[in-house]
Amino acid sequence: MGCPRWRYHLTVNDHTPPVTSDNAEFDGQGLLGSLAGTVTADGTDLLGTRDEAVPWLRAAGLLPDDAIISGSEHSALLRLRDALRDVLAARASGAAAPDATARLTRALADGRLVVTVSPAGAAVLVSSARASYSNTVAAIAIAVAEAW
């Protein structure tokens, strides 16, 4: 009776970066294609190192200017990208890809998505995470949910 009651909806804040960029390439489905295309036909990997990944993520509106990613987050980003590439290829060919979809599902879980409902009744996916990388993943997961 004397204990304060925590209200879940009051403790979840929307930390998901809005995917805003001056480049339409990074909007919705374009974001997914751009992320998947960070390995070029000649084998160049635009996300190959942390130092290469951070500017790309910032240009895509996925990482704040003052944020960086750790080595383990960079590795997770590459796994997410590779799983996304495999799922997109499977979708394009009409083939089932249970391994790729499972890997993508695991990678997107880092986004820590929750559903919030506005006073007007609109449901919105947002990240409950505070870490920059988790919010980056959440923005990608939201793009996947909206595109597919």
Side-chain angles (χ1 to χ4, degrees), residues 70-103:
S70 69
S72 61
E73 290 168 338
H74 178 253
S75 295
L77 175 66
L78 296 180
R79 287 191 301 273
L80 188 158
R81 188 265 321 269
D82 293 344
L84 178 64
R85 285 173 53 91
D86 293 345
V87 170
L88 288 173
R91 288 173 58 89
S93 70
D99 177 62
T101 56
R103 288 185 291 117

Side-chain angles (χ1 to χ4, degrees), residues 21-35 56:
S21 173
D22 295 336
N23 189 341
E25 169 187 9
F26 296 119
D27 294 338
Q29 183 71 35
L31 170 64
L32 303 179
S34 295
L35 178 57
W56 189 93

Side-chain angles (χ1 to χ4, degrees), residues 11-136:
T11 62
V12 174
N13 296 313
D14 182 2
H15 300 283
T16 312
V19 182
T20 55
S21 173
D22 295 336
N23 189 341
E25 169 187 9
F26 296 119
D27 294 338
Q29 183 71 35
L31 170 64
L32 303 179
S34 295
L35 178 57
T38 55
V39 175
T40 63
D42 68 359
T44 302
D45 188 346
L46 302 177
L47 305 178
T49 68
R50 286 180 9 190
D51 290 338
E52 294 165 330
V54 167
W56 189 93
L57 292 168
R58 288 181 181 150
L62 294 171
L63 193 67
D65 289 340
D66 61 345
I68 59 170
I69 58 174
S70 69
S72 61
E73 290 168 338
H74 178 253
S75 295
L77 175 66
L78 296 180
R79 287 191 301 273
L80 188 158
R81 188 265 321 269
D82 293 344
L84 178 64
R85 285 173 53 91
D86 293 345
V87 170
L88 288 173
R91 288 173 58 89
S93 70
D99 177 62
T101 56
R103 288 185 291 117
L104 183 58
T105 298
R106 282 191 305 272
L108 293 175
D110 285 341
R112 299 185 186 137
L113 289 177
V114 297
V115 176
T116 61
V117 180
S118 73
V124 180
L125 290 171
V126 298
S127 177
S128 63
R130 299 208 190 303
S132 296
Y133 177 73
S134 294
N135 290 310
T136 295

